Amino acid sequence: CKCNFISFIFLSLGTGSNILSVLQDLFWLLKSKAEKQLQIISVLQWVLTFLIMGIACTLILMYILCTDCWAIAALYLAWLVFDWNTPKKGGRRSQWVRNWAIWRYFRDYFPIRLVKTHNLLTTRNYIFGYHPHGIMGLGAFCNFSTEATGVSQKFPGIRPYLATLAGNFRMPILRDYLMSGGICPVNRDSIDYILSKNGSGNAIIIVVGGAAESLNCTPGKNSVTLKNRKGFVKLALRHGADLVPVYSFGENEVYKQVIFEEGSWGRWVQKKFQKHIGFAPCIFHGRGLFSSNTWGLLPYSKPITTVVGEPITIPKTDDPSQKDVDFYHSIYVNSLIKLFDKYKSKFGLLDTEVLEVN
């Protein structure tokens, strides 16, 4: 019976070439499943980093101080005091961390793509205005804080610095993790240092809409908070740094959010958090860990395409007037709208779609 069963298997498979073909198909199927799991793990670790790593590391450090291993925590705290101002001085990036294989799996989960439209001179400094914020700025992180999409190859000689909330750099361990990717605080001291004391070829990426913009991000909506956001233009004028509009198609598609109307209690709470803490709590969900049909913290695997537009040459003005700021701000807004209109149909939007500028 056993021999008959084996014979039946071989007869079903046919010739040796057919057997090899079946084994190859099985190998590629297993490899594909393994890669998908690695993609999910890579994205999950970043989501957890974004949401809880700072608080978790602080609590763990406090706990260690109360144990027999208190000396380890004390040494780190001493180092923290000594190293406190490093984030304001360009940070401490690591090419090794930026090139981790995990970021390539992160990229392929969505997938995320970086599109270059113009060359950037290494003799100039730049401020990239990134739009829209989305829930977590996943495109901004992947494109400019890792090498997964080849930012250094696409813009040789340009050092990108993604600017984020300064409060993140007060959290132990998290601050070092962020700095290793070239992330810096979005405050005047840090930006002034990078644009004036760090040579040329620097590009600071500022998510201009910030927390306010994140409150309105939802699938199918293309809107930016920009009308009254002019501080980045004033910084560009003071340092003579060229402005570069950047739009990320698909950033709003990866999470679904509960949008509270203006005047509602929910929006009131969000604005209070935004004003006093610097971020706005959002009620959002993605897909589950084991199924895309359930709710969870994982973002939906929707493509994100980040298009870097044409640089706007900005003159150096030590004390820019409001008229100067308004003038270059209007040029920037028009450039962003033109960038959106030029590429919207290429990346899944209708020709009739309009970018809403609030």
Side-chain angles (χ1 to χ4, degrees):
C1 291
K2 186 176 181 180
C3 291
N4 289 338
F5 176 73
I6 294 173
S7 299
F8 173 75
I9 293 295
F10 275 92
L11 285 171
S12 300
L13 292 174
T15 63
S17 61
N18 286 339
I19 296 173
L20 181 61
S21 177
V22 170
L23 291 176
Q24 285 177 337
D25 290 343
L26 180 61
F27 170 77
W28 287 114
L29 178 63
L30 292 174
K31 183 180 179 182
S32 176
K33 286 186 175 180
E35 286 184 349
K36 188 61 180 177
Q37 293 304 314
L38 287 171
Q39 291 170 12
I40 289 173
I41 291 170
S42 68
V43 174
L44 180 62
Q45 69 84 26
W46 172 246
V47 170
L48 294 178
T49 296
F50 183 91
L51 294 176
I52 65 171
M53 183 177 179
I55 295 173
C57 289
T58 301
L59 293 175
I60 291 171
L61 196 65
M62 292 172 63
Y63 171 76
I64 294 175
L65 279 171
C66 300
T67 68
D68 293 339
C69 299
W70 64 268
I72 296 174
L75 283 172
Y76 179 80
L77 289 173
W79 160 254
L80 192 63
V81 172
F82 174 78
D83 194 56
W84 190 253
N85 289 323
T86 298
K88 299 178 183 177
K89 298 180 179 180
R92 188 170 47 247
R93 74 173 55 219
S94 166
Q95 286 301 115
W96 175 65
V97 173
R98 287 175 60 88
N99 281 286
W100 277 353
I102 194 172
W103 306 131
R104 294 193 290 275
Y105 289 112
F106 183 99
R107 172 199 66 196
D108 293 339
Y109 172 84
F110 296 93
I112 296 174
R113 179 185 173 200
L114 180 65
V115 176
K116 170 186 174 181
T117 64
H118 291 78
N119 292 324
L120 299 181
L121 299 174
T122 58
T123 54
R124 301 285 293 174
N125 284 324
Y126 301 91
I127 294 179
F128 287 18
Y130 184 91
H131 314 270
H133 183 286
I135 295 291
M136 297 184 186
L138 295 166
F141 168 76
C142 184
N143 285 308
F144 301 113
S145 294
T146 80
E147 293 297 330
T149 56
V151 63
S152 294
Q153 286 72 44
K154 288 182 170 69
F155 301 102
I158 301 297
R159 292 180 298 277
Y161 293 86
L162 177 59
T164 188
L165 288 175
N168 289 324
F169 297 90
R170 302 188 187 101
M171 302 285 190
I173 310 301
L174 175 63
R175 67 189 292 276
D176 301 288
Y177 189 35
L178 294 179
M179 283 194 291
S180 67
I183 301 177
C184 68
V186 61
N187 57 33
R188 182 168 173 175
D189 289 342
S190 176
I191 294 173
D192 283 348
Y193 183 90
I194 293 171
L195 295 180
S196 64
K197 299 179 181 179
N198 203 40
S200 60
N202 302 293
I204 297 180
I205 297 87
I206 299 176
V207 186
V208 178
E213 190 172 84
S214 68
L215 298 178
N216 295 315
C217 68
T218 187
K221 187 171 184 179
N222 290 284
S223 66
V224 296
T225 302
L226 184 56
K227 278 184 179 178
N228 297 316
R229 300 295 175 107
K230 301 180 180 180
F232 73 106
V233 178
K234 190 171 184 178
L235 281 169
L237 284 164
R238 288 180 61 246
H239 294 285
D242 293 349
L243 289 172
V244 182
V246 179
Y247 197 85
S248 214
F249 294 91
E251 185 72 63
N252 284 347
E253 307 299 316
V254 296
Y255 280 111
K256 295 178 181 178
Q257 181 183 188
V258 176
I259 304 294
F260 293 102
E261 297 296 328
E262 289 293 337
S264 66
W265 67 270
R267 183 55 65 99
W268 179 84
V269 170
Q270 289 176 323
K271 286 189 173 181
K272 287 295 181 183
F273 266 84
Q274 179 190 336
K275 180 179 178 180
H276 297 292
I277 301 179
F279 75 93
C282 302
I283 300 177
F284 65 92
H285 73 85
R287 53 155 289 183
L289 182 60
F290 301 107
S291 172
S292 59
N293 297 321
T294 59
W295 288 9
L297 289 176
L298 276 177
Y300 293 104
S301 52
K302 304 288 186 179
I304 298 174
T305 305
T306 303
V307 184
V308 180
E310 182 178 4
I312 302 165
T313 303
I314 304 294
K316 190 175 186 303
T317 308
D318 292 333
D319 187 21
S321 66
Q322 189 59 48
K323 184 178 179 181
D324 293 330
V325 173
D326 291 342
F327 175 73
Y328 285 102
H329 181 267
S330 65
I331 293 177
Y332 178 87
V333 172
N334 290 331
S335 296
L336 178 65
I337 293 172
K338 287 179 181 177
L339 180 71
F340 177 85
D341 289 340
K342 182 177 180 180
Y343 289 94
K344 60 186 178 183
S345 60
K346 294 181 180 179
F347 302 120
L349 299 181
L350 299 174
D351 287 333
T352 55
E353 189 71 39
V354 176
L355 180 62
E356 182 182 330
V357 180
N358 300 314

